[in-house]
Amino acid sequence: MTERTVLVTGGTGGLGGAVTATFLDAGWRVVVPQREAGTDDGPVRVVADLLTPEGAARAVEVATAEPAAPLRAVVNLVGGYAAGGLVHETPVEEFERMLRLNLRPTYLVTRAALPHLVATGDGAVVCVSARAAVSPFPGASGYVTAKAAVRAFADAVAVEYRQRGVRCNTVLPSVIDTPANRAAQPDADHRRWVPPAEIAGVIRFLASPESAPTSGAGIPVYGRA
């Protein structure tokens, strides 16, 4: 019988599948929001558009529906990457799209979940930023800004809820070794990339009671990149 629930946004993606599997293997009840109905292969799935307040609230509603397994953690994985030109070549619509995709779901889901995490007295939030947030590269100003904003938001949550029993930390990947990234960069040295399962282990640790003293941290998960 599971005794705790984790809400994993982006749980159907390349990293999300590994994160979901890691929590299931550790005995957690896992809730995965998705935009369309899918197969029932272990996690509890809920159709929800996390870009809307209503969708975020629906996901949290399902995550808190089992009294025997209260919501103890939220893992914010939803995001995306788009390359472009230099800042003066980037349309404002593309810049804002990166902010909307990477920051808005993280904010909406965390906001909806916080009262429940406070109620448990030992809740955790884990957000995914990126190495680019602390070491930018040219041609992706929207992505760099959005991921830096995710980290800043996580730091704000850590400060605001420290005395209320909720921790918030961030992981900062470089390039994750997913099929999509391999297809996009077939000539790269994939040995330097980080397997999703290794990042998933760090995320599970940050969501677990074992990391109780840690909040407001930005954890690099760069591998050999």
Side-chain angles (χ1 to χ4, degrees):
M1 177 68 70
T2 59
E3 298 179 352
R4 58 185 62 229
T5 293
V6 58
L7 175 60
V8 180
T9 76
T12 60
L15 175 59
V19 170
T20 297
T22 295
F23 278 100
L24 287 172
D25 289 345
W28 290 62
R29 174 177 175 262
V30 182
V31 175
V32 175
Q34 54 194 44
R35 295 182 68 91
E36 298 178 352
T39 58
D40 183 6
D41 56 357
V44 178
R45 299 189 180 273
V46 52
V47 177
D49 181 0
L50 301 184
L51 288 170
T52 68
E54 296 79 12
R58 172 59 181 158
V60 171
E61 179 184 13
V62 173
T64 57
E66 179 52 68
L71 179 65
R72 296 296 180 90
V74 172
V75 177
N76 291 301
L77 302 180
V78 171
Y81 169 79
L86 301 178
V87 170
H88 78 281
E89 302 167 328
T90 302
V92 66
E93 293 81 8
E94 177 59 28
F95 186 85
E96 290 179 339
R97 188 177 76 86
M98 285 289 94
L99 286 170
R100 177 177 175 85
L101 179 58
N102 288 282
L103 183 60
R104 186 179 174 92
T106 294
Y107 169 75
L108 289 175
V109 172
T110 303
R111 185 185 70 168
L114 276 168
H116 303 278
L117 297 174
V118 168
T120 68
D122 64 348
V125 178
V126 183
C127 299
V128 175
S129 178
R131 185 177 190 174
V134 295
S135 182
F137 54 87
S141 58
Y143 174 78
V144 168
T145 303
K147 287 302 189 182
V150 168
R151 183 177 182 187
F153 171 71
D155 289 347
V157 172
V159 170
E160 290 188 4
Y161 291 88
R162 181 176 297 145
Q163 302 303 323
R164 301 188 180 190
V166 178
R167 299 174 292 108
C168 188
N169 294 289
T170 312
V171 295
L172 292 81
S174 52
V175 183
I176 304 173
D177 191 3
T178 64
N181 284 338
R182 286 195 175 220
Q185 302 180 55
D187 298 326
D189 184 358
H190 303 143
R191 296 171 300 176
R192 300 179 62 188
W193 294 359
V194 185
E198 293 185 1
I199 299 175
V202 176
I203 290 173
R204 191 209 63 79
F205 171 74
L206 291 173
S208 69
E210 288 83 358
S211 64
T214 304
S215 190
I219 308 298
V221 284
Y222 302 161
R224 291 184 287 166

